[in-house]
Amino acid sequence: GGGGGGGGGGASLRLLLGRGVRRQFGLGCVLMFVQQFSGINAVIFYSASILQAGGIDDPNTGGLLIMGVQVVMTAVAVLLMDRAGRRALLLVSLAGMCFCAAAMGAFHLNAQRPTWLALASLVGYIASFSLGLGAIPWLLMGELFAADVRALAASMATLLNWAFSFTMTLVFAQLNAALGPAGTFFLFSAICAAGAAFVAACLPETKGRSLAEVQALFGSEAS
């Protein structure tokens, strides 16, 4: 059972950093970081030129293709979420993104050839993102926390997510200039690999478990 609503913002923040909540909150923060720094915005940024190289010159056609992949894979994720579990889907999602980002790096390293590799890795990356990393961090915010801190944890995670997104947008051009497109995609691939290792090591499966069971998982691991 939780300890009620608390006086003011300081008390609220102390709730999030309290012993029973700290690890879940840290986990949520890392997932938000990986979501934004895994390169999804860069892939979208590069998608027009990759699609053009693959012979899809009309930006509207390219946009529809990407949106179609996102919609289909998000629907697949919804269907699989309760069967495969959050942890398994996140791991598959991050592994797919890691592989596809590395393939995009290889494409840029090889003088932007072959074009089929760019197209396949672009579609594969967006499909992998939509399958897990796009939605699951948000879903977990509702499953990891007791009712008395859930709204606060979700608000803080949203704020962090926006801050990470803003930072990524801010540094992307410099990153790209310093490392080149190939180096940038290899970096994103490494971040996805690190994210997968983190999920494998730190995220218990929450599928089909009650809040009390999830809390006990973190409690028993902490002690």
Side-chain angles (χ1 to χ4, degrees):
S12 298
L13 205 55
R14 276 200 298 279
L15 267 179
L16 277 186
L17 299 174
R19 228 179 129 245
V21 183
R22 195 184 307 139
R23 287 189 62 204
Q24 292 96 306
F25 184 60
L27 190 65
C29 292
V30 172
L31 288 177
M32 293 303 178
F33 172 85
V34 173
Q35 188 191 70
Q36 289 302 329
F37 280 82
S38 61
I40 184 65
N41 294 330
V43 171
I44 299 293
F45 176 82
Y46 269 104
S47 60
S49 63
I50 288 173
L51 290 166
Q52 223 166 9
I56 301 170
D57 290 319
D58 181 8
N60 292 330
T61 308
L64 277 173
L65 174 70
I66 287 171
M67 211 176 293
V69 170
Q70 285 179 304
V71 168
V72 169
M73 293 312 291
T74 303
V76 170
V78 168
L79 292 173
L80 288 178
M81 200 88 70
D82 284 323
R83 291 182 196 171
R86 288 84 168 113
R87 188 173 182 272
L89 268 190
L90 257 184
L91 286 170
V92 169
S93 172
L94 283 159
M97 288 167 69
C98 174
F99 178 78
C100 292
M104 271 188 262
F107 163 77
H108 283 286
L109 206 56
N110 193 39
Q112 301 202 325
R113 286 192 310 269
T115 47
W116 66 263
L117 178 65
L119 275 172
S121 52
L122 172 71
V123 170
Y125 183 96
I126 289 169
S128 298
F129 180 83
S130 303
L131 186 65
L133 194 62
I136 291 175
W138 298 108
L139 176 74
L140 286 172
M141 297 314 290
E143 295 187 337
L144 293 174
F145 298 98
D148 58 349
V149 290
R150 191 175 298 143
L152 178 66
S155 307
M156 288 297 288
T158 305
L159 189 65
L160 265 176
N161 191 284
W162 286 347
F164 290 145
S165 176
F166 178 72
T167 306
M168 187 69 222
T169 308
L170 214 57
V171 302
F172 175 64
Q174 291 95 306
L175 197 65
N176 201 27
L179 302 176
T184 305
F185 280 118
F186 287 136
L187 174 65
F188 291 144
S189 179
I191 290 171
C192 291
F198 175 81
V199 167
C202 302
L203 180 69
E205 183 53 73
T206 56
K207 176 192 76 163
R209 288 192 161 123
S210 69
L211 181 64
E213 288 172 318
V214 171
Q215 300 288 311
L217 271 177
F218 282 98
S220 64
E221 284 182 70
S223 59

